[in-house]
Amino acid sequence: MKVLVAVKRVIDYNVKVRVKADNTGVELANVKMSMNPFDEIAVEEAVRMKEAGKATEIIAVSMGPAAAQETIRTALAMGADRGILVQSDAELQPLAVAKLLKAIIAKENPNLVILGKQAIDDDSNQTGQMLAALLGWAQGTFASKVGVDGDKVAVTREVDGGLETVSLKLPAIVTTDLRLNEPRYASLPNIMKAKKKPIETLAPDALGVDIAPRLVTLKVEEPAKRKGGVKVPDIATLIDKLRNEAKVL
């Protein structure tokens, strides 16, 4: 079984995000970047499948500037076999990413595609679902457990009422949640080996995909600073403040 894993280069989750002075976006200059945490979980799950004998090859795919090769190298160091970079300095929105992934899937013919459920930069939570719709494949989102058995994959997902398990017929799309696994740290020998693993570089035009953005960012602002709390002497004062100041009653 061939598994394709999509990984995204984002601002490291430990970094405090700063808004640009002109409010056109967030500051990326001299900011530490790393793999999206949800995608790390996706890579780990694919590697575990290979270790269990369920998968035969893992392909890590990323899209973005040339520096996104670093993200692919991280996936290769974790256990992926080879990488594909769709290089573009343009803004890539979820629909464009889904179309690019569809083109790569047509080229590679994987049995299973695993993505993080969302990226921590835009929090769109759209790419996996859009990709499944474009391909007409079964999808299991927010996976907290994944089990492959022959030509089927069982996906346990968290819902409001508890847990739900769905059985999908391969080929399928799975998006990962935080509780699925704990990603491994890449060892130094594997990091060195990853430098020799192949990364194919493609251009959106070569894949025949229009990546023009459909959405326009009008303005980016930092959230308002939280005001300090106050103590009230009694319930009557609390109700008065909730009704007249907070206006929630």
Side-chain angles (χ1 to χ4, degrees):
M1 180 176 74
K2 184 187 290 189
V3 180
L4 188 146
V5 183
V7 295
K8 185 177 183 180
R9 180 175 181 263
V10 299
I11 295 176
D12 189 88
Y13 68 93
N14 287 312
V15 174
K16 178 177 172 56
V17 177
R18 294 179 291 112
V19 175
K20 289 182 179 179
D22 59 3
N23 295 110
T24 58
V26 297
E27 189 60 65
L28 299 179
N30 301 316
V31 174
K32 181 183 178 184
M33 308 292 282
S34 62
M35 187 189 298
N36 177 47
F38 290 100
D39 296 340
E40 283 185 323
I41 293 169
V43 175
E44 174 66 26
E45 192 64 22
V47 173
R48 292 187 185 188
M49 288 179 184
K50 187 175 181 183
E51 291 173 342
K54 302 288 186 181
T56 55
E57 184 182 24
I58 302 170
I59 307 166
V61 180
S62 190
M63 296 161 194
Q69 284 195 29
E70 300 171 9
T71 306
I72 297 177
R73 292 289 178 199
T74 301
L76 296 176
M78 290 175 67
D81 298 294
R82 59 188 174 93
I84 298 174
L85 171 64
V86 180
Q87 188 170 331
S88 174
D89 292 322
E91 179 189 2
L92 296 174
Q93 295 180 352
L95 181 58
V97 173
K99 288 180 177 179
L100 290 169
L101 284 173
K102 179 186 176 184
I104 293 173
I105 288 166
K107 178 174 174 285
E108 295 291 340
N109 292 312
N111 305 93
L112 181 65
V113 179
I114 310 178
L115 312 84
K117 71 170 185 177
Q118 64 195 78
I120 62 172
D121 52 1
D122 57 17
D123 276 333
S124 292
N125 183 15
Q126 296 175 341
T127 305
Q129 293 90 326
M130 287 178 170
L131 178 60
L134 290 172
L135 291 169
W137 287 11
Q139 61 176 308
T141 56
F142 317 135
S144 59
K145 185 178 179 182
V146 177
V148 178
D149 184 12
D151 65 344
K152 292 185 178 181
V153 55
V155 177
T156 300
R157 54 194 303 273
E158 297 185 1
V159 295
D160 291 341
L163 298 176
E164 174 187 63
T165 300
V166 294
S167 179
L168 313 175
K169 188 174 181 180
L170 297 176
I173 309 292
V174 173
T175 68
T176 60
D177 208 344
L178 287 173
R179 292 174 182 81
L180 179 57
N181 60 50
E182 184 72 28
R184 69 192 66 191
Y185 289 101
S187 64
L188 182 57
N190 286 340
I191 292 174
M192 299 306 293
K193 290 177 184 176
K195 293 181 179 180
K196 298 181 180 179
K197 292 182 179 180
I199 296 180
E200 181 183 2
T201 302
L202 303 171
D205 292 343
L207 295 171
V209 177
D210 176 18
I211 61 171
R214 266 60 175 180
L215 305 173
V216 177
T217 301
L218 300 179
K219 190 176 183 182
V220 177
E221 294 180 301
E222 290 191 14
K225 292 184 178 180
R226 185 177 179 182
K227 297 180 180 179
V230 296
K231 291 184 178 180
V232 294
D234 50 45
I235 297 296
T237 307
L238 173 62
I239 293 174
D240 178 69
K241 286 184 175 294
L242 291 174
R243 179 177 292 122
N244 299 315
E245 292 184 17
K247 299 188 184 300
V248 296
L249 294 180

